[in-house]
Amino acid sequence: MKMNKKIFDRILITGGAGFIGSNVALKLLEKGYSVTVFDNLNPQIHGNDPENTSPLYRSIKDKVQFIYGSVTDRADWIRALDGQEAIIHLAAETGTGQSMYEIERYSSVNIGGTALMLDILTNTEHSVKKVIVASSRAIYGEGRYKCQEHGEVFPESRTDEDMAGGDFECKCPVCGAEVILMSTTEESKIHPTSVYGISKQTQEQLVMTVCPTIGIAPVAFRYQNVYGAGQSLSNPYTGILSIFSTRIKNGNGINIFEDGRETRDFVYIEDVVDATIAALETTLADEEIFNVGTGVPTDVSTVAHTLVKCYGLEVPVTVSGNYRLGDIRHNYADITKARTLLGFEPVYDFEKGIRKFSAWVDRQQVMEDKYEDSISEMKAKGLYK
């Protein structure tokens, strides 16, 4: 990516002890920024004793100014905002499946926390000039498709009835015919299929709507499936690569949902960090929304078998036909806009990234596999079939 010059010096990263946040923080420190991290060290990500159970937290501890607190608390926000020139707002609850039954928590943190930040920025004195918000590919719901008769279409959520019968593909919302997958552009229809997606859509819209009215430049990033060295291996609710890796390392089989041909756009953490910092360092990003991915779809069966091969551990890989209500079938990003305005070009394709990720996992302590507990929760709520 092209190198830009610093516009700001003092950067606040909410959720800065998390996977993306800690990596952004470390890169900013390398570049000479003053970094403040605002995080509640959620046990689901960091364990019950972050000093000992969270490599992510330990990677930034004593390197940044750290503020322990919640984005739902006004006093914590006021402490965190003091003297900051730009905010990278990453703090959020992130599990798509979990969001479908922990609706109040996801709404309170993701929507309420963002609204509280903007309320304070609107009604108090501060030095913030830019806000970068982490949106998500989840806001698109099902991606963009082409119908032979009706052209560009955006299918609605797949029905329980169809999936129960083994029909997992999206259909044209006009005629019901089969459709051809296309990359999703920033102009594609916004129609999330999960509470998480709804909350990220609202976060994005709040920031992009409010900030220009108070003299702050907003930027939104619709991150695809971010992965890489350093991500949590103990969170059973999000991160398919982590979930599969922990299953394999524990000698447990992998249950692939649907028919295994569902796809995602997997983007490596270092590429995500570079894109995020590029937006901080150029005015070309101001008031813009960007997809951040590789622009390449990879199916879940390929993910599972690649990981098994990388670890050299034989575990059963089963394509079960199980499915979760709220999941999407396909989505991969059109990254033309990020290439044009940010000079963004992913360095890691899936093969290169998965090798680096799996080599890192091999060096880590094997974590307890809590996946079955998460599935039991979804079954009890009627969301896992």
Side-chain angles (χ1 to χ4, degrees):
M1 291 187 59
K2 60 187 179 183
M3 299 298 293
N4 297 304
K5 294 183 179 179
K6 287 169 60 177
I7 299 173
F8 312 104
D9 288 312
R10 299 184 301 278
I11 314 300
L12 172 66
I13 308 176
T14 72
F19 176 43
I20 298 175
S22 61
N23 279 277
V24 171
L26 292 172
K27 189 63 174 284
L28 288 175
L29 289 171
E30 281 182 24
K31 293 168 70 72
Y33 286 89
S34 173
V35 178
T36 299
V37 164
F38 177 27
D39 203 294
N40 71 346
L41 300 178
N42 186 336
Q44 186 168 299
I45 298 167
H46 299 282
N48 293 319
D49 179 16
E51 293 275 356
N52 296 304
T53 57
S54 177
L56 292 172
Y57 172 59
R58 291 201 306 271
S59 73
I60 61 165
K61 183 176 179 288
D62 300 326
K63 298 177 183 177
V64 302
Q65 179 186 357
F66 185 81
I67 295 177
Y68 177 81
S70 170
V71 293
T72 62
D73 186 283
R74 180 177 290 269
D76 289 345
W77 263 117
I78 290 172
R79 281 194 299 135
L81 288 168
D82 184 37
Q84 305 300 330
E85 295 177 304
I87 303 169
I88 300 176
H89 184 38
L90 304 173
E93 302 292 349
T94 58
T96 301
Q98 189 181 43
S99 77
M100 298 297 286
Y101 57 90
E102 294 204 15
I103 299 157
E104 182 179 9
R105 179 162 72 97
Y106 274 71
S107 298
S108 175
V109 173
N110 297 4
I111 299 173
T114 303
L116 183 53
M117 172 187 74
L118 293 169
D119 190 274
I120 294 168
L121 292 175
T122 301
N123 295 296
T124 66
E125 291 187 8
H126 59 82
S127 50
V128 175
K129 296 294 187 290
K130 180 175 279 193
V131 173
I132 297 173
V133 63
S135 187
S136 170
R137 57 92 184 157
I139 74 172
Y140 293 119
E142 298 292 352
R144 184 171 68 122
Y145 291 78
K146 180 179 180 180
C147 173
Q148 295 289 8
E149 183 175 349
H150 297 101
E152 181 180 274
V153 294
F154 300 93
E156 298 302 323
S157 298
R158 297 169 295 161
T159 67
D160 193 355
E161 181 180 8
D162 282 347
M163 291 193 288
D167 182 0
F168 300 111
E169 292 297 343
C170 295
K171 307 294 191 303
C172 174
V174 181
C175 67
E178 292 186 6
V179 286
I180 300 168
L181 178 65
M182 301 170 68
S183 62
T184 303
T185 67
E186 289 86 354
E187 289 73 37
S188 296
K189 182 179 178 180
I190 304 301
H191 61 143
T193 61
S194 67
V195 172
Y196 171 68
I198 292 169
S199 73
K200 299 306 285 186
Q201 174 190 1
T202 306
Q203 271 191 303
E204 177 187 303
Q205 290 178 328
L206 282 168
V207 169
M208 300 305 294
T209 300
V210 174
C211 283
T213 71
I214 55 175
I216 294 176
V219 184
F221 280 116
R222 295 171 181 170
Y223 297 129
Q224 294 284 319
N225 288 61
V226 185
Y227 75 102
Q231 71 185 83
S232 174
L233 297 173
S234 60
N235 186 350
Y237 297 97
T238 185
I240 186 174
L241 290 166
S242 290
I243 293 168
F244 283 0
S245 294
T246 298
R247 296 285 292 170
I248 295 167
K249 287 291 186 176
N250 278 275
N252 297 325
I254 295 177
N255 172 20
I256 297 178
F257 294 169
E258 303 184 16
D259 58 5
R261 293 196 289 270
E262 61 274 24
T263 62
R264 299 292 185 270
D265 185 339
F266 295 95
V267 58
Y268 200 75
I269 182 63
E270 291 179 24
D271 289 326
V272 169
V273 168
D274 286 345
T276 305
I277 294 176
L280 185 70
E281 296 182 334
T282 178
T283 57
L284 293 176
D286 294 358
E287 300 191 35
E288 299 289 351
I289 296 168
F290 299 96
N291 286 333
V292 177
T294 62
V296 178
T298 302
D299 68 72
V300 175
S301 283
T302 297
V303 172
H305 288 288
T306 301
L307 286 172
V308 168
K309 182 179 179 181
C310 285
Y311 297 131
L313 299 171
E314 289 299 324
V315 299
V317 177
T318 305
V319 179
S320 66
N322 293 132
Y323 57 92
R324 297 188 308 182
L325 298 179
D327 273 356
I328 64 167
R329 179 63 172 172
H330 303 292
N331 197 331
Y332 75 102
D334 183 312
I335 58 173
T336 303
K337 186 175 180 182
R339 281 187 169 122
T340 302
L341 293 183
L342 300 178
F344 172 67
E345 191 63 48
V347 173
Y348 291 87
D349 61 16
F350 183 72
E351 183 178 344
K352 181 179 178 182
I354 207 74
R355 285 200 306 268
K356 188 168 184 178
F357 169 74
S358 60
W360 169 78
V361 173
D362 276 336
R363 299 191 298 271
Q364 308 308 305
Q365 175 185 347
V366 177
M367 305 301 292
E368 180 185 356
D369 184 3
K370 302 176 182 176
Y371 172 74
E372 294 297 343
D373 293 339
S374 71
I375 292 298
S376 294
E377 287 184 18
M378 295 204 71
K379 281 182 178 178
K381 305 296 181 182
L383 297 168
Y384 175 87
K385 304 295 183 79

